Amino acid sequence: MREKRFRIYIDESGDHTYRNLQKQENRYLCLIGCIFKPERYRIFVRKLEDFKQKHLLYDPDFPPILHRNDIINRRSCFGRLYNPTARKKFDSGLLNLIREADFKIIAVVIDKKNHVEKYKELAFHPYHYCLTAILERYCGLLNFTGGIGDVLAESRGGREDRQLKEAYRRVYNAGTFWREPKFFQDALSSKEIKLKPKRNNIAGLQLADILAYPVKQDILLENKKIPDPGNIFGKRICEIIKTKYNKQLYSGQIEEYGKIFI
């Protein structure tokens, strides 16, 4: 019986449809998963709440939820970040929080424009395609280490949630082109994907939300799909998570294991 337990928290950056692909901001979708062991996750949860209490207006009954768009636009409790000193302390604390957290990353970026032009009406749903790529790597890690784990993704609404559950079940029950069903069934502890909104204050989803956009830009930059944006905060995040990517355990290779560009 497998005793090592894991959970992967999944969020996205970008649009998951095939609309307006001529626009750079719509062309690429990134799905990112943050993998935790339970004991390491409990530590992260505690430190995340400590971070919020230190840097934001904190109501224990309605704790702040870290959401990149709210932080960037200084919405709600993040309004205090208009103060340069407060923003500097917040940024420094956030980097330390991520640096000290013990987790692994699997990130997939898909070029939806190229994908739909190549496969046309047979093009797979981009979010589900990226999810399949993550599940293959996640289950590979679990099977190699003798672990077992489940999957928790951000809820996106009624129809989308139903489709996502179906996509997960399809992988679990039928496998993929590359892997038999047993590969997934041996590694996954649940036949169902768990879906929760970020407003539930789920620490893993908040972390994935913070990382998704800078990781997407980093992968696109590595693949020469975007110009270098210069010295931006996202690069500082990407620098401190370099050692956290899933990798081939013998060669240390990250590409196709922790970073996947489709």
Side-chain angles (χ1 to χ4, degrees):
M1 183 174 178
R2 302 189 183 198
E3 296 182 356
K4 295 179 182 178
R5 293 273 170 175
F6 297 83
R7 175 169 288 166
I8 185 169
Y9 298 85
I10 294 177
D11 201 2
E12 84 274 8
S13 173
D15 181 73
H16 58 270
T17 71
Y18 284 117
R19 295 192 295 265
N20 299 320
L21 297 183
Q22 69 279 5
K23 294 183 178 180
Q24 186 79 358
E25 62 268 25
N26 293 333
R27 179 169 179 170
Y28 302 102
L29 171 70
C30 174
L31 210 62
I32 186 170
C34 299
I35 305 168
F36 280 93
K37 293 180 180 178
E39 63 275 13
R40 300 300 180 185
Y41 185 68
R42 286 190 287 270
I43 294 171
F44 175 69
V45 170
R46 185 176 67 251
K47 288 187 174 182
L48 175 60
E49 294 308 305
D50 289 345
F51 165 78
K52 293 177 185 178
Q53 292 183 50
K54 183 176 181 180
H55 296 285
L56 301 168
L57 293 173
Y58 189 90
D59 182 341
D61 293 328
F62 303 97
I65 306 300
L66 294 190
H67 188 272
R68 183 179 179 275
N69 283 339
D70 291 339
I71 296 171
I72 294 295
N73 293 294
R74 316 290 198 269
R75 297 192 191 107
S76 187
C77 64
F78 301 103
R80 62 164 43 193
L81 300 182
Y82 278 113
N83 181 293
T85 301
R87 179 61 194 244
K88 185 176 181 180
K89 290 180 179 179
F90 178 91
D91 288 350
S92 177
L94 181 61
L95 291 173
N96 285 333
L97 176 72
I98 297 170
R99 182 185 295 109
E100 293 173 1
D102 188 353
F103 67 101
K104 291 184 181 295
I105 298 169
I106 301 174
V108 183
V109 174
I110 183 171
D111 183 339
K112 296 183 294 176
K113 185 174 183 292
N114 280 1
H115 187 68
V116 76
E117 287 175 354
K118 180 176 180 180
Y119 294 103
K120 298 182 171 48
E121 67 274 5
L122 297 178
F124 207 60
H125 187 295
Y127 188 108
H128 301 166
Y129 196 19
C130 291
L131 175 68
T132 299
I134 285 183
L135 289 177
E136 287 177 336
R137 275 74 177 180
Y138 179 48
C139 292
L141 172 66
L142 296 176
N143 283 322
F144 188 87
T145 59
I148 190 168
D150 59 1
V151 181
L152 197 161
E154 184 190 13
S155 173
R156 296 175 297 145
R159 182 187 178 202
E160 291 174 340
D161 284 358
R162 288 193 298 273
Q163 290 177 339
L164 182 55
K165 288 179 179 180
E166 290 172 4
Y168 178 92
R169 289 191 204 107
R170 186 162 53 245
V171 172
Y172 186 91
N173 292 320
T176 66
F177 180 82
W178 302 106
R179 298 291 186 178
E180 296 292 328
K182 190 175 186 299
F183 175 82
F184 300 97
Q185 294 167 5
D186 286 348
L188 296 170
S189 59
S190 176
K191 298 178 181 179
E192 300 288 337
I193 188 172
K194 297 173 174 64
L195 300 176
K196 298 288 183 182
K198 260 195 290 286
R199 65 175 179 269
N200 284 18
N201 197 27
I202 296 173
L205 292 183
Q206 293 172 76
L207 176 63
D209 178 277
I210 293 296
L211 297 181
Y213 181 80
V215 165
K216 178 177 72 173
Q217 296 301 99
D218 186 48
I219 292 175
L220 291 176
L221 188 59
E222 288 180 351
N223 286 274
K224 298 180 173 56
K225 297 298 181 180
I226 59 172
D228 191 325
N231 186 24
I232 58 174
F233 183 70
K235 282 190 175 182
R236 296 171 66 188
I237 290 178
C238 292
E239 185 64 31
I240 65 174
I241 61 174
K242 279 184 175 180
T243 60
K244 300 183 185 295
Y245 283 100
N246 183 48
K247 61 184 70 173
Q248 212 282 342
L249 295 177
Y250 294 118
S251 68
Q253 178 181 332
I254 292 175
E255 286 71 26
E256 296 304 321
Y257 292 86
K259 291 181 176 181
I260 302 96
F261 180 68
I262 302 172

